[in-house]
């Protein structure tokens, strides 16, 4: 096994991807909040990932504490208000983001079908992994280009933005009855509450394990940043 590359080598690249990411953000018709990140945390995350700043993933890790897209999707970055990319050990995949309802995006390593680096989504309504058939950079281009609203079209309820904007970066919205039940398929007909994201994730993972053993077993309960500090 080769030695990890030093962070200087990962940062100093001929074609950094951050200007490309900035261009996508500038052209997006959706609201995009770029969360701040400290340089030490950013470089530590980049070194842990062993990807360069020439990749979209490396650019997000080095230059942001994460992105909040349309007050709905939270993409992880170099740490801060959100956990850092790769901060929690996972087996065969790496979480790269969550959505407001507790859905989880992950890059495949060896745990899921398909090639390494493929993007997958663990859905709260099915409690199963679903292939997005995209890469990380493809997801950025796709979501920031407006496809995010199509992807979640069946999840929205009237005036959802007024509730979503009140959720902190590490909070989500729980639905009751939950979306994996027949009674919970319509988000506008259920009770909704803003909760800590870790509670929301625990709910879905525990339910999936109890029902059919479908939970992402390596998705450990993670604490909100304030609790981790």
């Amino acid at each position: 096994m080769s030695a990890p590359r030093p962070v200087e080598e990962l940062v100093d690249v001929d074609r950094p991807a951050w200007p490309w990411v900035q261009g996508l953000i500038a052209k997006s018709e959706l609201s995009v909040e770029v969360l701040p990140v400290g340089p030490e945390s950013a470089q530590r995350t980049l070194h842990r990932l062993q990807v360069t700043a020439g990749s979209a993933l490396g650019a997000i890790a080095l230059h942001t504490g994460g992105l909040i897209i349309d007050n709905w999707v939270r993409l992880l970055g170099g740490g801060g208000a959100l956990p850092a990319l790769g901060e929690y050990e996972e087996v065969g995949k790496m979480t790269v983001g969550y959505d407001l309802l507790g859905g989880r995006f992950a890059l495949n390593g060896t745990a899921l079908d398909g090639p390494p680096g493929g993007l997958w989504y663990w859905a709260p309504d099915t409690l199963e992994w679903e292939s997005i058939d995209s890469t990380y950079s493809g997801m950025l281009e796709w979501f920031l280009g407006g496809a995010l609203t199509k992807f979640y079209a069946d999840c929205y309820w009237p005036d959802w933005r007024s509730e979503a904007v009140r959720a902190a970066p590490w909070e989500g919205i729980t639905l009751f009855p939950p979306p994996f039940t027949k009674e919970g398929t319509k988000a506008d007909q259920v009770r909704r509450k803003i909760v800590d994201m870790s509670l929301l994730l625990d709910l879905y993972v525990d339910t999936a394990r109890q029902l059919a053993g479908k939970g992402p077993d390596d998705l450990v309960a993670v604490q909100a940043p304030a609790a981790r500090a």
Side-chain angles (χ1 to χ4, degrees):
M1 181 179 297
S2 59
R5 289 178 290 178
V7 69
E8 294 79 10
E9 181 180 325
L10 301 173
V11 171
D12 187 14
V13 295
D14 293 334
R15 299 182 62 182
W18 181 235
W20 176 77
V21 175
Q22 287 179 304
L24 292 179
I25 293 173
K27 291 186 296 184
S28 181
E29 295 183 358
L30 303 177
S31 66
V32 182
E33 181 180 359
V34 180
L35 300 175
V37 64
E40 291 185 2
S41 178
Q43 292 188 16
R44 184 167 55 248
T45 300
L46 196 67
H47 188 257
R48 178 171 56 242
L49 298 178
Q50 285 293 292
V51 297
T52 75
S55 67
L57 186 67
I60 295 295
L62 184 61
H63 295 281
T64 83
L67 301 180
I68 299 182
I69 306 175
D70 206 27
N71 293 304
W72 191 274
V73 165
R74 288 100 159 90
L75 296 183
L76 306 184
L82 291 170
L85 285 160
E87 182 174 354
Y88 296 96
E89 184 177 355
E90 300 181 72
V91 180
K93 53 186 173 294
M94 181 178 70
T95 296
V96 295
Y98 303 93
D99 63 37
L100 192 66
L101 301 185
R104 174 191 178 199
F105 293 95
L107 291 178
N108 184 35
T110 58
L112 303 167
D113 293 335
L119 187 71
W120 287 71
Y121 177 67
W122 195 72
D125 57 343
T126 64
L127 303 179
E128 292 184 335
W129 285 106
E130 304 170 358
S131 175
I132 302 296
D133 193 25
S134 179
T135 61
Y136 183 84
S137 59
M139 174 194 64
L140 278 179
E141 195 166 17
W142 187 48
F143 275 3
L144 292 174
L148 182 147
T149 55
K150 297 178 181 178
F151 186 80
Y152 287 104
D154 294 336
C155 300
Y156 298 142
W157 58 91
D159 200 30
W160 65 267
R161 293 182 188 277
S162 66
E163 294 180 49
V165 73
R166 298 201 304 270
W170 192 240
E171 290 181 325
I173 293 180
T174 184
L175 309 179
F176 187 81
F180 51 80
T181 65
K182 180 179 179 181
E183 297 79 9
T185 55
K186 300 294 185 180
D188 60 337
Q189 298 175 14
V190 302
R191 287 178 292 181
R192 300 179 297 275
K193 181 180 179 181
I194 295 176
V195 298
D196 189 282
M197 183 65 75
S198 62
L199 299 177
L200 191 55
L201 296 175
D202 281 350
L203 167 66
Y204 293 142
V205 172
D206 289 345
T207 302
R209 289 171 179 162
Q210 292 171 16
L211 291 179
K214 297 178 181 178
D217 293 333
D218 57 339
L219 182 55
V220 297
V222 293
Q223 295 178 315
R228 291 184 288 122

